Amino acid sequence: MADTTSNPQEILSALNDMATGFMKSQALYLAAKLGIADHLSAGPQSSDALAEAVGANPGALYRLLRFLEYLGLFYEPEPGKFALTAMGEYLRSDAPGGIRNEAIFNMELIWPGWGELAYTVTTGRSADQRAFGASFFEHLQQHPHLAALFNDSMTRFIASMAPAVAAAYDFRPFRTIVDIGGGHGTLMAAILQANPQARGVIFDLPITVEGAQKYMVELGLSERCACLGGDFFKEVPPGDAIILSAVISDWDDEKSVHILANCRRAVAPEGRLLLIERRLIPEEPAPATAFLDLQMLLLGGGAGRTAGEYRRLLTEAGFELARIISTGTQRSIFEARPV
Ligand SMILES: C[S@@+](CC[C@H](N)C(=O)[O-])C[C@H]1O[C@@H](n2cnc3c(N)ncnc32)[C@H](O)[C@@H]1O
């Protein structure tokens, strides 16, 4: 990327933001965790009343609120009383498009890995065992409230893309469509709604697939969709189209080929494997992709990959990359056929 500025003041201000960014993340996290915005939803409150409601030290909470006021989340309509700004409203649990869960998720699930960045950069190994004493997904299974945060976050992300992904690909030739690591079923729901001929299978870890089951019942799709718990490193259910959306990017090459090889055994001879992933284009650096690439490495040894890298993994697992289809979202569809 080219130099963007040579103004020393701008440079130092940007560097200072980087050096102190954790303070803002921690303050936002704590406000989210304590539910401060929910307590202020009915109107302004004194910091003492808030401290009592959330079980905090009044003086210390006041100082946190002043910092968050400076960050733009609250204002003081009168001294010592705090109210939500338009920005602060997004920290309410019931705010449409709100980020309360995100603020908690980032600190409780993502920060521990970033705290081990030096270990990962020194060794090239993922940080999850050091950060959690378990792999990232084992850790989620052991802590259902974290699994709920993670799955909510995944659902929000895929919800913004699912209709476009479902519309970008012709699923009409397929009777059974299997979404491996399908989370709470948002993508599968969009595909089934657009393709009345199809039946679906959502396959994910047992704790996650419970959420998918509930969601299918809510949408009236449970008759057309089975929700199966299991481990994609052991085996995956058979299907005419097998989808892996944001799954392979979680894993290193060896584990990715292992999952893909299990899909190879499960896909129908004339069927298709659809990888739904961001496509890394080295000559078009995207800040979000660079950051996610590092995050994938930290949390499980995964990676953002180029088309060539996906092609190589697919070939090793017995597939041929047939097409890459743009969806108009951050993710593309890598269509592969068994060979
Ligand atoms: C990054 S999320 C992607 C979720 C969803 N496909 C999407 O596009 O938003 C990865 C998914 O893989 C699932 N997963 C992780 N390890 C698994 C395993 N061993 N067997 C089955 N699913 C697994 C997770 O529970 C999670 O739902």
Side-chain angles (χ1 to χ4, degrees):
M1 236 162 100
D3 247 357
T4 46
T5 177
S6 56
N7 176 323
Q9 261 174 348
E10 281 178 26
I11 289 174
L12 287 171
S13 160
L15 284 172
N16 195 45
D17 267 1
M18 291 181 212
T20 58
F22 70 95
M23 298 178 191
K24 298 176 190 172
S25 307
Q26 278 291 356
L28 186 72
Y29 160 68
L30 191 57
K33 185 82 176 171
L34 294 177
I36 302 280
D38 289 345
H39 285 288
L40 290 176
S41 59
Q45 284 207 39
S46 71
S47 56
D48 284 356
L50 281 172
E52 171 134 14
V54 303
N57 173 282
L61 184 69
Y62 176 72
R63 291 156 87 164
L64 173 68
L65 294 173
R66 290 291 301 270
F67 179 45
L68 289 161
E69 181 177 3
Y70 156 76
L71 296 181
L73 279 99
F74 307 126
Y75 68 99
E76 280 181 84
E78 57 187 271
K81 272 200 164 180
F82 289 85
L84 293 174
T85 60
M87 187 192 274
E89 291 281 349
Y90 282 93
L91 215 56
R92 286 171 55 167
S93 323
D94 59 354
I99 58 97
R100 178 171 184 233
N101 274 0
E102 244 65 21
I104 299 175
F105 163 86
N106 273 302
M107 205 45 64
E108 295 192 358
L109 258 174
I110 305 300
W111 162 250
W114 283 83
E116 299 293 343
L117 184 61
Y119 168 79
T120 290
V121 171
T122 313
T123 62
R125 295 199 194 99
S126 73
D128 44 357
Q129 288 291 346
R130 273 174 73 102
F132 304 122
S135 79
F136 181 74
F137 287 106
E138 281 163 3
H139 182 64
L140 289 185
Q141 298 296 293
Q142 290 157 8
H143 299 88
H145 82 284
L146 294 179
L149 282 176
F150 176 79
N151 290 323
D152 276 0
S153 175
M154 291 303 104
T155 297
R156 279 165 66 109
F157 205 52
I158 189 71
S160 63
M161 296 184 265
V165 171
Y169 189 79
D170 183 4
F171 287 93
R172 283 173 304 178
F174 307 118
R175 223 184 116 57
T176 306
I177 301 169
V178 186
D179 191 356
I180 305 291
H184 279 179
T186 309
L187 179 60
M188 180 57 82
I191 294 171
L192 290 180
Q193 280 162 342
N195 293 277
Q197 88 293 344
R199 297 184 66 77
V201 178
I202 299 169
F203 181 80
D204 207 299
L205 294 168
I207 195 171
T208 303
V209 98
E210 278 173 28
Q213 180 75 56
K214 276 193 209 132
Y215 188 54
M216 291 299 127
V217 170
E218 265 170 43
L219 294 184
L221 287 170
S222 55
E223 298 281 299
R224 288 176 59 206
C225 187
C227 298
L228 305 178
D231 176 359
F232 50 44
F233 288 109
K234 294 197 173 129
E235 62 175 343
V236 304
D240 301 314
I242 294 193
I243 296 172
L244 286 164
S245 168
V247 167
I248 292 302
S249 48
D250 285 343
W251 304 100
D252 65 21
D253 286 3
E254 192 187 332
K255 293 199 172 90
S256 296
V257 172
H258 186 141
I259 299 166
L260 290 168
N262 283 348
C263 293
R264 174 67 186 82
R265 279 186 277 281
V267 73
E270 298 302 319
R272 293 290 183 271
L273 174 79
L274 305 173
L275 294 188
I276 302 175
E277 292 282 2
R278 282 171 197 254
R279 174 184 180 180
L280 209 90
I281 303 179
E283 53 283 7
E284 288 175 23
T289 312
F291 135 79
L292 274 173
D293 180 45
L294 189 52
Q295 182 149 298
M296 295 304 175
L297 172 62
L298 280 167
L299 293 183
R305 293 186 173 94
T306 61
E309 287 166 334
Y310 278 119
R311 185 189 307 274
R312 187 174 48 74
L313 296 182
L314 287 163
T315 306
E316 266 188 61
F319 288 101
E320 173 189 39
L321 177 59
R323 284 189 295 162
I324 303 175
I325 302 152
S326 299
T327 64
T329 74
Q330 294 164 349
R331 294 188 197 165
S332 300
I333 301 175
F334 295 76
E335 183 197 48
R337 47 174 168 257
V339 287

